[in-house]
Amino acid sequence: MVHFVGAGCGASDLITVRGARLLSEADVIIHAGSLVNPELLNYAKEGCEIHDSASMTLEQVVEVVKAAEAKGKHTVRLHTGDPSIYGAVREQFDALTALGIDYDVCPGVSSMSGAAAALKAEYTLPGVSQTVIVTRMEGRTPVPEKEKLRLLAAHGATMVLFLSAGLSESLQRELLEGGYGPETPVAIVYKASWPDEKIICCRLCDLKETVEKNNVKKTALILVGRFLGDEYARSKLYDPSFTTEFRGAEK
Ligand code: SAH
């Protein structure tokens, strides 16, 4: 059996209770060493076999799993944040299915949640945006034509950009040409929930300069939108004049 586990975005106590239990029961752990906090390996039991997938191919990962399965061992495949977001898990799921190996998935705290917590921000502010666009600047991995950044930017919605800190020049250009105003607030959250977490705020028109000045190249999210500003509407849910399923409106 293989458990895909979301490690959370950094701090070792941000893993779920279930994820920590699965780690402590694992005979074999394959972790994404470049992004997963090594402290999480303290949950492993004595004698657990540990592999760092940073230097491995998909085929090598599958070989380790196959060997573990042949001995009836339990494997945890530990992914950063939540496995469903830029986790390259689908190809692993399919490889295991083809081999008849059973697996399940334990979710994790994505860095997009970690970054919002660091900022004490709400992505879906009433009167500002009710949509979160999770995307990336096109790099070596191509992005479908209809999802080009400037097309997505036209919505003016809250935007969470993964894997894009090293591409700040084209990022700034695409977002501006797509329709966000130059004054749109931006936050760069580096290593959310790690001890060396850093939050840098700027305007969209200063994004490239700010990223370069602070030398942020990776392990950062770029958050864009007026949810970072001061203006918003109150929620209906907690409005005294609003009746909900659980509470009548105040007279
Ligand atoms: N599955 C992960 C994302 C993996 S892709 C998740 O849910 O968070 C790797 C990218 O995630 C990095 O390039 C960076 O953009 C972002 N990232 C991962 N951890 C981060 C953190 N602690 N703070 C800010 N961004 C992070």
Side-chain angles (χ1 to χ4, degrees):
M1 179 75 181
V2 181
H3 304 284
F4 287 82
V5 174
C9 60
S12 60
D13 58 350
L14 273 185
I15 192 168
T16 62
V17 174
R18 183 189 300 176
R21 176 177 59 76
L22 291 169
L23 270 183
S24 69
E25 291 169 358
D27 304 303
V28 177
I29 295 173
I30 309 169
H31 67 115
S34 56
L35 278 167
V36 167
N37 189 338
E39 275 179 25
L40 282 166
L41 300 176
N42 295 338
Y43 288 110
K45 67 183 177 194
E46 186 116 342
C48 175
E49 185 183 314
I50 292 175
H51 299 264
D52 180 353
S53 64
S55 59
M56 295 164 79
T57 61
L58 169 64
E59 287 71 14
Q60 288 168 330
V61 168
V62 172
E63 278 311 311
V64 169
V65 172
K66 257 167 76 178
E69 288 294 309
K71 294 185 208 139
K73 292 181 169 176
H74 282 253
T75 303
V76 162
R77 176 70 173 106
L78 190 61
H79 278 274
T80 180
D82 183 77
S84 70
I85 301 181
Y86 303 111
V89 283
R90 174 62 191 268
E91 60 198 28
Q92 299 177 69
F93 298 164
D94 289 348
L96 298 190
T97 302
L99 292 167
I101 297 174
D102 202 12
Y103 64 88
D104 62 14
V105 183
C106 172
V109 176
S110 172
S111 55
M112 68 178 277
S113 301
L119 285 162
K120 304 187 180 86
E122 177 177 347
Y123 289 135
T124 51
L125 275 184
V128 174
S129 178
Q130 291 293 289
T131 303
V132 185
I133 297 177
V134 176
T135 189
R136 63 178 300 170
M137 183 68 211
E138 183 162 45
R140 281 192 295 176
T141 302
V143 166
E145 200 53 43
K146 286 184 172 165
E147 295 172 22
K148 293 285 185 242
L149 208 51
R150 70 173 63 199
L151 298 179
L152 300 180
H155 296 280
T158 296
M159 194 180 276
V160 177
L161 289 141
F162 282 77
L163 300 158
S164 302
L167 301 162
S168 60
E169 181 170 1
S170 37
L171 188 61
Q172 176 176 332
R173 188 186 59 238
E174 293 297 300
L175 293 175
L176 284 172
E177 290 182 4
Y180 286 103
E183 304 287 325
T184 306
V186 172
I188 302 147
V189 181
Y190 172 74
K191 293 191 87 173
S193 86
W194 289 79
D196 50 345
E197 170 187 291
K198 227 172 18 177
I199 296 174
I200 306 150
C201 296
C202 66
R203 300 176 303 171
L204 179 54
C205 56
D206 302 324
L207 175 62
K208 169 187 178 282
E209 193 191 321
T210 309
V211 168
E212 285 176 1
K213 200 169 73 197
N214 288 278
N215 203 23
V216 178
K217 296 202 177 74
K218 52 181 193 175
T219 331
L221 287 181
I222 297 182
L223 312 172
V224 182
R226 288 184 299 110
F227 76 98
L228 291 164
D230 296 327
E231 282 170 27
Y232 64 96
R234 263 188 70 153
S235 71
K236 294 278 183 249
L237 187 60
Y238 297 107
D239 185 333
S241 66
F242 198 70
T243 298
T244 74
E245 193 185 338
F246 303 100
R247 176 175 62 72
E250 286 174 12
K251 298 276 178 305

